[in-house]
Amino acid sequence: QVQLVESGGGSVQAGGSLRLSCVASGYSNSRKCLGWFRQAPGKDPEGVAYFSILGTIRYSDSVNGRFTISRDNTKNTVALQMTSLKPEDTAMYYCAADDTSCSLDVQTYQYRGQGTQVTVSS
């Protein structure tokens, strides 16, 4: 059974930084795509970034230039370094994995974690 466990969320003031981490377990091979998405209260989930096993990286326009995704295939981990945080970044952040494709469309991911809360105050 595949499990994704996030950590690193918390509360920070605008302009601050946070680093989210995700450990994937329950299988032996690296997933084709590891990514992050977020969901704020009352809003649709939004793909934030992904990192394919071939090294392709993509960010949403809303975080491009502020967030950095990284991946360690030997440890089956993916991280999201978030800088210059804004109040509108406040959301539950989820780690996600998929075996067939990479996309910022959250509906395409086969697996997702339980989420970690990020709160940015002004």
Side-chain angles (χ1 to χ4, degrees):
Q1 182 178 357
V2 176
Q3 278 193 316
L4 301 172
V5 179
E6 305 94 338
S7 61
S11 297
V12 66
Q13 289 191 326
S17 300
L18 282 173
R19 180 179 176 85
L20 306 182
S21 297
C22 173
V23 179
S25 62
Y27 57 90
S28 59
N29 298 319
S30 293
R31 290 310 192 214
K32 178 168 184 174
C33 196
L34 292 175
W36 291 91
F37 70 93
R38 65 187 182 186
Q39 187 166 20
K43 294 188 177 181
D44 291 333
E46 173 193 10
V48 173
Y50 69 69
F51 198 138
S52 81
I53 197 168
L54 296 180
T56 301
I57 294 173
R58 186 179 172 190
Y59 299 97
S60 67
D61 290 343
S62 60
V63 307
N64 194 25
R66 300 187 297 120
F67 291 11
T68 303
I69 190 171
S70 59
R71 174 174 180 163
D72 186 335
N73 292 330
T74 63
K75 298 179 180 178
N76 288 327
T77 59
V78 61
L80 188 69
Q81 180 67 47
M82 306 184 294
T83 63
S84 301
L85 283 162
K86 304 175 182 179
E88 51 263 43
D89 294 318
T90 295
M92 186 71 79
Y93 283 71
Y94 299 87
C95 174
D98 192 81
D99 289 337
T100 58
S101 65
C102 275
S103 171
L104 289 178
D105 180 355
V106 300
Q107 301 300 325
T108 64
Y109 284 88
Q110 294 173 276
Y111 311 104
R112 58 191 63 187
Q114 293 299 306
T116 185
Q117 178 67 38
V118 171
T119 302
V120 184
S121 59
S122 57

